[in-house]
Amino acid sequence: MKRRGYKSFWKQKQFIIACAIMVIAALGMTGIYMANREKKSDQKIAEVKDTEEQRVAKEETEEPAESVAKVVMPKSKPKQEETEAETATIKDETETVEEDTEEVLDVMNNQPVQEQVTQELHFGDGSTLNWPLQGDVILNYSMDQTVYFATLDQYKYNPAVIISAAVSDRVSNAASGKIADISTNEVTGCTVTVDLGDGYSAIYGQLKEVPYQVGDYVESGSTIGFISEPTKYYSVEGSNLYFELQKDGNPVNPVEFFQ
């Protein structure tokens, strides 16, 4: 009985030890499992955290770019609008130039033929002049001796014929020629010079309302202008036509050419 009791005790002890070992092993396995699970959980948390940090960093990196784009992009639009405006301006200017060119061409095409054709001018021995208006000669041409000028109250040479006329009387061109000059001076007022050709020029002074421009061709008998109020150098003589004929810049007696 004593020996059997000992064996029974020993078996119980072994059973208890085995159970303890199993419990310890189970606890160990449970601890390892929990440790691994906790480790994996930490890894997932770390991965999630890293991913979130990367996303935030990416957004922070992209936001300035978007902000710059928002600031920069509007600048390109005004440049584009400015370019379009410049293009429109150039187009308008081109159209204006084309319209002006067409107008010039129309004017040239509508001009009288005599103004477009170059006229051959000839004047010399045997040529004649028409009286530019009907009136009394109050001062004759005189380059050989002096004549008295009442307004100036002095004697002086006279390179022209001074013909009395009323204000606004019509003055006709004495011979065909081309307008060489239209100018104004204090002695003869508005003065027109007509190139007659071969060095001859006819000079008309004390005029107004001249209907021509420099370069125009004027037929004999055409209106060269109208008589104006006299200048202060002819106030006593009264309104008049100053008519001078020159050859190579020197005065000649126009009376010798009048017919």
Side-chain angles (χ1 to χ4, degrees):
M1 290 292 294
K2 187 176 181 181
R3 188 177 181 84
R4 182 179 296 177
Y6 175 76
K7 289 181 179 180
S8 178
F9 171 77
W10 176 247
K11 287 181 179 181
Q12 290 179 356
K13 188 176 181 180
Q14 288 180 340
F15 177 75
I16 293 170
I17 292 171
C19 289
I21 292 172
M22 289 178 65
V23 170
I24 293 171
L27 292 174
M29 291 296 292
T30 301
I32 292 171
Y33 172 77
M34 294 300 293
N36 289 335
R37 184 174 180 181
E38 184 177 356
K39 184 177 181 180
K40 290 181 180 181
S41 177
D42 292 339
Q43 288 178 351
K44 288 183 178 181
I45 293 172
E47 288 176 357
V48 171
K49 184 177 181 181
D50 291 341
T51 302
E52 183 66 17
E53 290 177 352
Q54 291 177 358
R55 185 183 66 80
V56 172
K58 185 176 180 181
E59 290 178 352
E60 292 176 352
T61 304
E62 291 177 351
E63 282 181 0
E66 292 177 356
S67 299
V68 171
K70 291 179 180 179
V71 174
V72 173
M73 286 301 291
K75 292 184 179 180
S76 62
K77 185 174 181 182
K79 288 184 178 179
Q80 182 178 1
E81 293 177 352
E82 183 178 357
T83 303
E84 293 176 352
E86 291 176 353
T87 303
T89 301
I90 293 172
K91 183 177 179 181
D92 292 340
E93 292 177 351
T94 303
E95 292 176 352
T96 301
V97 170
E98 291 176 352
E99 291 175 357
D100 292 342
T101 303
E102 291 177 355
E103 290 179 0
V104 171
L105 291 176
D106 290 339
V107 170
M108 292 179 64
N109 291 332
N110 293 328
Q111 284 181 339
V113 175
Q114 69 173 28
E115 294 185 7
Q116 297 184 28
V117 178
T118 301
Q119 299 290 335
E120 293 186 5
L121 305 176
H122 295 290
F123 192 90
D125 294 340
S127 299
T128 59
L129 295 172
N130 296 318
W131 283 88
L133 56 73
Q134 297 297 318
D136 297 331
V137 175
I138 55 178
L139 284 171
N140 283 309
Y141 170 89
S142 181
M143 293 300 291
D144 296 329
Q145 60 183 6
T146 60
V147 294
Y148 182 71
F149 283 77
T151 302
L152 301 176
D153 191 22
Q154 64 179 356
Y155 286 86
K156 56 182 294 188
Y157 294 105
N158 183 26
V161 174
I162 310 301
I163 306 171
S164 178
V167 174
S168 298
D169 277 356
R170 174 182 173 274
V171 179
S172 62
N173 189 33
S176 298
K178 184 173 67 175
I179 303 295
D181 181 68
I182 301 175
S183 58
T184 302
N185 63 74
E186 61 180 2
V187 178
T188 58
C190 178
T191 305
V192 177
T193 301
V194 179
D195 180 11
L196 305 180
D198 301 317
Y200 282 90
S201 298
I203 302 174
Y204 304 80
Q206 308 279 6
L207 296 181
K208 66 178 180 179
E209 300 174 11
V210 177
Y212 297 101
Q213 296 180 349
V214 173
D216 289 346
Y217 179 80
V218 186
E219 290 283 358
S220 175
S222 299
T223 300
I224 200 74
F226 298 87
I227 297 297
S228 68
E229 295 288 343
T231 64
K232 63 182 181 179
Y233 289 84
Y234 293 92
S235 59
V236 174
E237 288 82 358
S239 56
N240 65 85
L241 172 66
Y242 175 97
F243 183 81
E244 180 181 352
L245 182 66
Q246 290 184 353
K247 166 63 174 170
D248 298 326
N250 298 312
V252 295
N253 189 358
V255 176
E256 296 177 357
F257 293 86
F258 285 139
Q259 61 179 3

